[in-house]
Amino acid sequence: MLFPASSPSRLRRSVLLVALAVLLCVAPVPARLATFPVSEIRRGQVAEGLTRMEGGEQVRFKAHVLGVLDGVVGPRRQVILARLEGAGLENTGVIAGMSGSPVYIDGRLVGAVAYSMGQFPKAPIAGITPIAEMQDATSMPAAGLRAVAAWPLDTTLTPEALREAFLASLPGRDGIAVPASALRNLGVESTSSPLLRPISTPLSMSGFAPGIGRWLADTLGEAGFAPVSAGAGASAGGAAVADGGPLQPGDAVGVSLVRGDLSLGATGTVTSVEGTRVLAFGHPFFNLGPAQLPMTRAQVVAVVPSLLNSIKLAQLGDVVGVMDQDRATAIGGTLGVTPRTIPLTVSLRANGSAARTFAFEVSEDQLFSPLIVYAAVANVLQSYQREIGASTVRLAGSAQVGASVLRLDNVFGGDGAVATAAASVAAPLAAVLRSDLGTPRLGPIALTLDTEERQRSTRLDRAWIAEPRPRAGDTITLRAETRNFRSTPQLHTLSIALPPGATGTLQLQIIDGSTLAQLEGRRRTVEQARSVDELVGLLNQQRRGDRWYVRLVRPAAGSVVNGRDLPALPGSVLQVLGATPGVVATSLDQDVLGEWEIPADAVATGQRTIAITPLVP
């Protein structure tokens, strides 16, 4: 058989195609992570571990297997107990920041160094979380809304209230007593039952003023962290941590809570990397379940040895992905995914000086976002405003909540003005994020703060109506005399129309905004809103501190139903409302016939009530 002659170029193309086909056929498939099961663990085996130490140097250490503890940290949970050796661990003990350091036997991954035992130990005894338990826990669905206790609208705006609400929503981080008999069976001499607890997680902090820094360190310290001061590793727009290579087992890794003009984040060690999937820590960050926190590179700057608790000082670097799982045995993250964050800008004019603008990227989370926003705002104020003595803070701003705009306008005065102003921003965010009305996307938060290092207040001295015997349907004139911080009297005049059919005794109430907010807070709750937009509307009704509210009211039994006043309801209707599913109703003892405002040039104080009995025409 004769074949047509081929040109040299066609022949070369054919050869290349055949070679390419052969290469594709023999191209290696990414190997599955080789693991060492707990069933093969035996006392006396020597494992090798990896971690980063001072200057980012990768070091190796040995882990002498002592045995396996069953059911100590949970049902069907196992912990491999080992004595660590090398890399200076004989002197430092188990180091905070080692959490997640991978341990191998015969090149197969056993698990992550995750627990330490007792205080002032004679030897660095560590607990290793098996890799199979880490993989199992972090393979759960990442989507979903965590069940978090709702934020009461009448919560006192203080740092203490914010701290208590935050800590009350967190699981305990107490250690677990290991029976001395169990340790003796593993060859560990012990006359007591030492505690096996997760290795402390270093929390790198930079940019914080001393006061708010102490408050935040104490708050997060109670939650099981080891707060440390560290230089900022990266800003929101760039990194100072120089390591652009792919994330590897044994590398330092961070979980960021805020970036920009503040830096705050936890650091630990990478256990495994499979494709885009990263496992780390070997114990929970907070055991939040599904999460969306930025996962970053980290650089170990130094190791601080201590008999009580040695610790790695680390800086956070570039964001490389998102931590989407926070479980009992590990945190899990995905590389290359952009995390959700909340842009926060704060413009401060302190005591008449030029404006300074600060920018932050706050991680979006039901628990952490309000706490971090409070810390960021309070930190700006404390850095440029005195902490002791009376002051005045004027706040103007807004936050985008889904399709709605949350207004953040108010004035605060007195010794606690700085803390109260910062808390007034965090509290409504907590109410939105911790509600069960959905997961709204929080957009930019923009704030302008004007401060003075003295208290500016205006008090209500007296109030009266000009007409001695008004009739129903008349327009009466309210006169209110106020005195400002300069002791200058001011006379305010307000026209008020009486209802045509008004009978009986009416009350004209003049109440400062702070007092009225406290009164209304007791009968308005988050549960009264049926949607995020409705909740934002409820929050936007909060009273301002720089005005008096004038209300014409009459006694009338009724209800506040889903955030709306329904006065003068018949008793039968009240009974039906109380028994209707999905309807949140609270009692109401007066009907507001009209409402007006008297503005103040500072914090308004004082209240008056005038009784009016209109004549029937």
Side-chain angles (χ1 to χ4, degrees):
M1 182 180 295
L2 296 177
F3 295 91
S6 299
S7 66
S9 60
R10 283 188 65 184
L11 183 59
R12 282 195 297 271
R13 284 199 298 270
S14 300
V15 172
L16 288 174
L17 288 172
V18 171
L20 180 60
V22 172
L23 287 174
L24 290 174
C25 291
V26 300
V29 177
R32 186 173 178 82
L33 180 67
T35 61
F36 198 98
V38 178
S39 60
E40 296 182 22
I41 291 292
R42 299 291 182 269
R43 176 179 173 80
Q45 290 172 319
V46 180
E48 185 178 67
L50 295 175
T51 198
R52 294 280 180 178
M53 289 293 193
E54 190 165 322
E57 178 189 4
Q58 187 181 76
V59 299
R60 298 176 182 271
F61 60 89
K62 293 181 180 180
H64 298 269
V65 175
L66 301 174
V68 178
L69 296 174
D70 292 312
V72 173
V73 295
R76 298 188 180 181
R77 295 289 191 199
Q78 296 176 305
V79 173
I80 302 165
L81 213 59
R83 177 176 55 82
L84 306 186
E85 178 189 8
L89 295 173
E90 300 89 339
N91 300 320
T92 62
V94 180
I95 304 172
M98 285 188 69
S99 299
S101 298
V103 173
Y104 302 88
I105 293 179
D106 297 333
R108 293 187 289 165
L109 181 59
V110 175
V113 174
Y115 294 88
S116 60
M117 181 168 287
Q119 290 184 330
F120 307 107
K122 295 181 180 179
I125 305 296
I128 299 170
T129 300
I131 184 61
E133 294 188 11
M134 298 174 66
Q135 292 171 328
D136 177 67
T138 55
S139 63
M140 299 181 186
L145 179 67
R146 299 196 306 271
V148 181
W151 180 271
L153 295 187
D154 61 346
T155 301
T156 307
L157 297 181
T158 63
E160 292 74 19
L162 287 172
R163 174 191 291 175
E164 290 174 7
F166 173 74
L167 293 175
S169 299
L170 295 176
R173 296 291 294 270
D174 297 332
I176 301 167
V178 180
S181 58
L183 294 178
R184 286 193 292 270
N185 291 337
L186 299 178
V188 179
E189 292 299 326
S190 178
T191 57
S192 61
S193 298
L195 294 179
L196 184 70
R197 54 165 52 93
I199 299 171
S200 296
T201 303
L203 198 68
S204 298
M205 305 174 61
S206 68
F208 288 91
I212 190 63
R214 285 192 302 271
W215 178 86
L216 193 58
D218 291 344
T219 300
L220 295 173
E222 287 187 39
F225 283 89
V228 292
S229 178
S235 66
V241 175
D243 187 359
L247 212 57
Q248 300 290 336
D251 285 352
V253 68
V255 178
S256 174
L257 297 177
V258 62
R259 297 161 60 80
D261 286 318
L262 287 178
S263 178
L264 176 67
T267 56
T269 306
V270 175
T271 305
S272 68
V273 181
E274 288 188 273
T276 61
R277 197 67 186 152
V278 177
L279 300 184
F281 283 25
H283 60 65
F285 171 63
F286 268 102
N287 208 5
L288 300 172
Q292 283 288 319
L293 298 177
M295 184 171 62
T296 76
R297 299 183 186 279
Q299 176 82 23
V300 179
V301 178
V303 176
V304 180
S306 168
L307 291 175
L308 178 62
N309 188 26
S310 298
I311 191 169
K312 294 182 182 183
L313 301 184
Q315 295 177 337
L316 299 183
D318 275 339
V319 173
V320 294
V322 62
M323 184 198 84
D324 49 33
Q325 288 286 353
D326 179 20
R327 300 293 179 177
T329 58
I331 65 169
T334 304
L335 297 172
V337 176
T338 302
R340 295 196 302 265
T341 57
I342 306 168
L344 168 64
T345 57
V346 180
S347 178
L348 173 68
R349 289 190 292 267
N351 304 303
S353 63
R356 298 177 175 89
T357 300
F358 304 85
F360 312 91
E361 289 289 334
V362 179
S363 301
E364 185 176 312
D365 183 80
Q366 290 170 285
L367 289 178
F368 284 106
S369 296
L371 188 79
I372 300 305
V373 167
Y374 167 80
V377 176
N379 190 67
V380 168
L381 288 169
Q382 287 187 9
S383 297
Y384 295 92
Q385 184 75 15
R386 69 183 182 186
E387 295 183 50
I388 299 175
S391 59
T392 301
V393 179
R394 297 180 182 274
L395 167 66
S398 63
Q400 191 70 38
V401 182
S404 300
V405 176
L406 176 66
R407 296 194 301 272
L408 301 166
D409 304 318
N410 217 327
V411 178
F412 307 91
D415 291 344
V418 167
T420 306
S424 75
V425 179
L429 295 178
V432 170
L433 289 169
R434 296 172 65 147
S435 74
D436 59 355
L437 300 173
T439 53
R441 180 72 172 91
L442 289 189
I445 303 173
L447 307 174
T448 298
L449 297 166
D450 285 279
T451 67
E452 294 183 74
E453 290 184 343
R454 56 180 172 177
Q455 181 169 353
R456 292 187 177 274
S457 61
T458 301
R459 73 173 185 267
L460 176 64
D461 276 353
R462 61 194 186 108
W464 68 97
I465 57 173
E467 295 77 10
R469 296 176 63 81
R471 295 178 176 273
D474 285 355
T475 297
I476 62 176
T477 302
L478 170 68
R479 291 190 171 94
E481 186 176 275
T482 63
R483 194 172 296 272
N484 65 17
F485 53 92
R486 301 186 185 92
S487 295
T488 304
Q490 291 178 299
L491 183 64
H492 306 269
T493 301
L494 196 64
S495 296
I496 297 173
L498 299 179
T503 59
T505 301
L506 308 179
Q507 288 186 343
L508 195 61
Q509 302 172 344
I510 306 98
I511 310 175
D512 64 83
S514 299
T515 301
L516 185 56
Q518 294 176 3
L519 294 174
E520 292 185 327
R522 298 190 185 103
R523 62 183 180 85
R524 295 188 185 276
T525 64
V526 173
E527 289 81 5
Q528 291 170 340
R530 293 167 294 181
S531 67
V532 171
D533 291 340
E534 197 169 276
L535 176 56
V536 172
L538 192 65
L539 293 168
N540 283 338
Q541 295 174 18
Q542 297 297 309
R543 306 301 185 170
R544 293 180 53 167
D546 60 347
R547 60 201 59 200
W548 291 274
Y549 293 88
V550 179
R551 306 196 307 170
L552 182 64
V553 303
R554 64 181 176 189
S559 289
V560 180
V561 180
N562 292 335
R564 293 181 173 83
D565 291 355
L566 298 179
L569 292 177
S572 58
V573 175
L574 293 176
Q575 290 180 353
V576 171
L577 286 174
T580 302
V583 173
V584 179
T586 56
S587 62
L588 181 68
D589 57 5
Q590 61 185 15
D591 181 10
V592 179
L593 303 176
E595 183 173 296
W596 302 262
E597 294 180 9
I598 299 176
D601 57 359
V603 177
T605 62
Q607 53 186 300
R608 295 289 185 274
T609 300
I610 302 172
I612 303 173
T613 304
L615 299 175
V616 179

